Structures are given as structure tokens and as C-alpha cells.
Amino acid sequence: MATLRALKARQVLDSRGRPTVEVDAIADGGAVGRAIVPSGASTGRHEALELRDGDPGRYAGLGVGKAVENVRAAIAPAIAGMDLDDQAAIDAALLALDGTPNKSKLGANALLGVSMAVAHAAAAARGEELFVHVNRLWKGRAAGLDPAVPREPTMPLPMVNMISGGLHAGRNLDIQDVLFIPTGAESYSHALETIVAMYRAVGGVLKELGAESVLVGDEGGYGPKLENDEQALRVVVDAMLACGLTPGVDGHIALDVASTHFFDPATGSYRLSNVARPMDSAGMVDLLAGWVDRYPIISIEDGVAEDDWGGWKALTDRLGDRVQLIGDDLFVTQTARLERGVASGAANAVLIKVNQVGTLTETLDALVLARRAGFRPVVSARSGETEDATIADLAVGTAAGQIKIGSVARSERLAKYNRMLRIEEDLGPDARFAGRGTLP
Ligand code: 2PG
Ligand code: MG
């Protein structure tokens, strides 16, 4: 049994040049696990609190010195000596130390840095890959679930950002991400090759259209100025055709509408920049259903806003039998909100983001609940990322089935895609791949 000897923490920078927390967990035998915490831009109101210093003189108030100090002064002495393999006990100790419902005392960024670094150190102390360690944790947690729930390490099917809008690309479009899913792929590496071909093809279609700019957004997707959101859907369909794919057969579209960010809670209306009049939930559901009828859309995330439970129910009643409807801002990876969604028929899938909840164990809790309810989980990165690739191992080790990282540009994204190539090699020629079967 390896125990935790010490923690080190420091401030490093993420892909937007903003400070974030890095933690090293050192095992008694000297093995080291390191993790860096990601950060969102289109964050949900109910996410666990990301502690920032608020000192305008330093990094425009975004420093994380307090969170780093909390790791050193409050967390390290309290959990030193604990069994690194007992992730649940360590995470429970972190929650007890913080003691607040939204991790506002120590900061979810302090807690998550420690929680993930501990998992890395546990794997390193055993001399095994992180996904193998995570898989052991997952099998333990999944023991009571339906036998059909996947337990063995499985390469996920990626959904990949092609065109970025919303808060990730200067509000050029209302929709935040138009993504491509390589539904015809037979393996992860085959999927990746198709994705890269699509990324080039989308760039080509945009250039032909004369879209002023094909510069990329925060997650590496193209951030063009287009006439409207629907034109972005046509661009992705045209790119599929240019790649020799049959839209709706071996290539599909996914959307992250991120609609919370154009929802006005005061009037209960959705305000899209290219739709003349504000819409209520029913109007928003009609708009999305129309797109589903006309385009090969198989997945929609945050089609309505984070607290529009009535809208979510209407959307799910209307499209839930043919489209994956993912709650991101809606569920914020938290079991209490996910339980409400399951009970009320809101959504049929859940985005899994480690920093929305703040510990690995709570992330596994959300995955267990999702699987129990028959909700598909999609492990996701944030728009602010780093070279940390923990989520790649998380997705494989929990056999989540799907992953969303951003585009195949910018190295903080490629760190995860490349990590999965290594894992696939490790798993060998018989590596399981979630593939098309993971979708409706
Ligand atoms: C999302 C994420 C990732 P952010 O909305 O799903 O795409 O964005 O990290 O900015 O919340
Ligand atoms: Mg989202």
C-alpha cells in the first residue's frame, strides 16, 4: 500500500493564459502524480466554485494563489499519510475539510488538483497506467449496476468541434459548438483520421465561401463570421460530402447550443442574434426540432437553459427518442441535479466535467447515477485546458463511451487525443471502441 507523503502546489497557466492550479502528489516510495485543473468560460451557475484571488493588480484578478496556499497549508497536513489507493476516503476528507456545499472555502480548483494528483500518484506507485487505476475504481463502483453497463476499458467515440461560436469565439454565432461525430469509424485511431480529414475539409469549405476569417476559437474550432447558425450546419454537411462521407450514415452533427448564454431569465426568453424576435422555450424547441429534421444532428447539448426545467422536459419529449440530449450547465456533473433530471424526464445524457464538481469520487458518482438511469455520459474538457490529459484516462477507464475535447488544433486538445492513441496502443489490437452503438 502506498501512502501520501506530501503535496506540492503551484500556479501555472492554461490555454487562455489564465492562472490555474497544478498539484504534485508524492507517494511514500517517491512516485509522483501531477495534475492541472481546467477552467470554463461558458460556466454554469451551479458549478462548484473556482477560487480566484481577485487582486486586480495581478493577472487581472484571476490569480489562484489562495487555492495554491489552501493545498499547501490546509489540505496537505490533513491528508498526509492516507492510503493513495483509497480515492473515496481522500476525497471524503477533502469535502470534510472544505465543508461548504459549493467548495467555496478551499476552492474546487484546490480540491480537484489534489484529487486528480492523488489518482496519478496511486497509479505511478503501482507502476501502472492511469486508465488502469481508474478502471479499477470504476469496476468497484459499477459492481451493483446492470450487467449491460460497460466495465472494461473502452476507447470513446469523440465528438469534435468544427465551428466555434458563442463565448468561445467572440459571439460570431449564437451556437457555441458545431461538432462532428465520425459515426462510421471502426476504431479510435480510424475515428481520429476521419476527424482530421473533416477539419481540413471544413476549412476548405469556409475558404470557398469567402468566410472572412478561418482563425480558430478557444477550442481550436474555426471561428468564421457566417450569415447565421444554420449556415454552419450546411458547412459541416458540405465538408462531409467532400470527404466522401454520407451525412447521417457515417458522419453526424452534434451541437453544443450553450443556450444559457443567450437566455434572459428576467423575461424567460432566448435571444439569438439572427432571429428577429426573442423566443420562449417552445420557440427554442421548435427551432432545434426543425434543424434535426433538416440536418443529420444526433446530439444536442444545452438546447435550453440551465434552469429552464420545463423547456428541458418539452425538448426531451419532442426529440428524446431520436437525439441524444446532453445536460451540461443543467447538471454540472452533480448528482442532486442529475437526479432531478432523471426524475422529471429532462435530458437523456450528461456531460461529465471534473471541475464542475471538484473531486474524482463525485465525478464517478455522477457516472454511476447516469448509468443507473440509462443516461449516456460524455466526458468533456473545458474551454480553458492544459497539457493535463487526465480526462482521456477517465473516459477510457470508466468506459464512458464518448468524449468531447475540442478540435484537432491547439496542443492542449491534442494532449488528450494523443494520450488516447497511446492508450489504444497499450490496449492492443483488440482494444474495445464504443463507436456508433453508443449513440441513439
Ligand atoms: C462546454 C465547455 C466545453 P466551457 O460548454 O461544454 O466546450 O465550454 O468550458 O467554456 O464551459
Ligand atoms: Mg457545454
Side-chain angles (χ1 to χ4, degrees):
M1 173 183 103
T3 59
L4 179 68
R5 182 199 290 163
L7 291 174
K8 284 196 204 171
R10 64 189 69 84
Q11 174 171 294
V12 297
L13 297 179
D14 73 12
S15 53
R16 281 189 279 248
R18 293 184 188 165
T20 188
V21 178
E22 175 172 89
V23 178
D24 297 347
I26 301 141
D28 52 354
V32 180
R34 170 172 292 170
I36 316 178
V37 177
S39 174
S42 67
T43 49
R45 196 160 70 85
H46 304 282
E47 293 191 20
L49 183 112
E50 183 180 76
L51 188 61
R52 300 264 180 202
D53 297 339
D55 171 358
R58 307 202 63 189
Y59 286 107
L62 296 175
V64 292
K66 288 180 193 165
V68 165
E69 192 48 31
N70 288 343
V71 174
R72 288 188 194 137
I75 298 176
I79 66 170
M82 287 185 79
D83 176 3
L84 282 170
D85 282 334
D86 198 347
Q87 185 77 39
I90 290 182
D91 288 341
L94 295 178
L95 296 191
L97 276 176
D98 179 80
T100 69
N102 66 342
K103 281 112 182 163
S104 52
K105 182 172 167 207
L106 299 175
N109 41 355
L111 268 51
L112 180 64
V114 173
S115 183
M116 292 195 300
V118 159
H120 279 276
R126 286 169 174 265
E128 67 189 9
E129 296 289 335
L130 180 62
F131 75 90
V132 176
H133 174 64
V134 169
N135 186 243
R136 187 178 316 103
L137 297 176
W138 173 243
K139 281 182 176 148
R141 298 300 308 272
L145 294 177
D146 187 290
V149 169
R151 285 160 169 81
E152 296 304 323
T154 304
M155 301 305 300
L157 178 66
M159 58 168 72
V160 181
N161 192 342
M162 293 284 135
I163 297 183
S164 297
L167 296 181
H168 293 173
R171 293 188 187 275
N172 54 329
L173 298 169
D174 295 304
I175 294 184
Q176 179 176 290
D177 304 330
V178 180
L179 307 104
F180 167 70
I181 307 186
T183 37
E186 276 147 27
S187 67
Y188 168 72
S189 43
H190 179 208
L192 199 54
E193 199 172 334
T194 309
I195 289 159
V196 170
M198 267 298 288
Y199 187 70
R200 295 170 66 104
V202 169
V205 174
L206 287 172
K207 272 195 198 117
E208 261 171 47
L209 272 179
E212 261 167 52
S213 142
V214 287
L215 297 175
V216 302
D218 283 359
E219 300 194 3
Y222 299 107
K225 291 255 182 294
L226 296 173
E227 272 159 35
N228 51 40
D229 295 296
E230 201 167 335
Q231 193 182 14
L233 304 180
R234 284 198 296 272
V235 166
V236 175
V237 169
D238 288 348
M240 283 190 224
L241 296 172
C243 285
L245 297 169
T246 309
V249 176
D250 49 10
H252 284 83
I253 289 177
L255 304 177
D256 182 0
V257 183
S259 63
T260 301
H261 299 279
F262 51 82
F263 179 69
D264 174 16
T267 57
S269 55
Y270 293 86
R271 296 165 179 274
L272 280 80
S273 54
N274 51 53
V275 176
R277 269 184 289 143
M279 290 179 292
D280 59 8
S281 307
M284 196 62 211
V285 171
D286 283 341
L287 178 79
L288 295 172
W291 287 346
V292 167
D293 286 339
R294 294 195 296 283
Y295 299 93
I297 296 171
I298 201 168
S299 177
I300 301 176
E301 177 180 332
D302 285 353
V304 288
E306 61 192 351
D307 288 314
D308 185 1
W309 291 95
W312 269 102
K313 171 95 173 82
L315 179 66
T316 310
D317 287 347
R318 179 85 165 266
L319 294 176
D321 58 345
R322 51 191 172 130
V323 179
Q324 168 171 273
L325 300 168
I326 312 173
D328 170 16
D329 292 349
L330 176 70
F331 295 139
V332 290
T333 316
Q334 297 181 21
T335 49
R337 292 187 62 88
L338 184 54
E339 259 160 23
R340 179 168 173 190
V342 170
S344 63
N348 57 27
V350 55
L351 208 70
I352 300 288
K353 289 170 164 168
V354 283
N355 81 322
Q356 282 183 327
V357 64
T359 64
L360 213 50
T361 299
E362 290 167 289
T363 306
L364 294 174
D365 290 344
L367 281 160
V368 167
L369 176 56
R371 290 304 199 177
R372 183 167 293 135
F375 275 40
R376 297 177 191 84
V378 180
V379 172
S380 173
R382 300 308 306 244
S383 51
E385 276 290 339
T386 67
E387 65 270 33
D388 183 285
T390 306
I391 60 160
D393 292 72
L394 178 70
V396 176
T398 62
Q402 295 176 67
I403 193 164
K404 180 179 107 167
I405 300 168
S407 206
V408 282
R410 303 183 49 135
S411 291
E412 77 279 5
R413 314 288 145 192
L414 275 307
K416 285 77 161 167
Y417 288 114
N418 289 341
R419 170 68 186 147
M420 287 193 287
L421 285 173
R422 293 179 206 114
I423 295 177
E424 186 185 46
E425 180 186 301
D426 248 41
L427 291 173
D430 298 328
R432 288 182 174 75
F433 172 57
R436 172 74 177 88
T438 192
L439 285 163

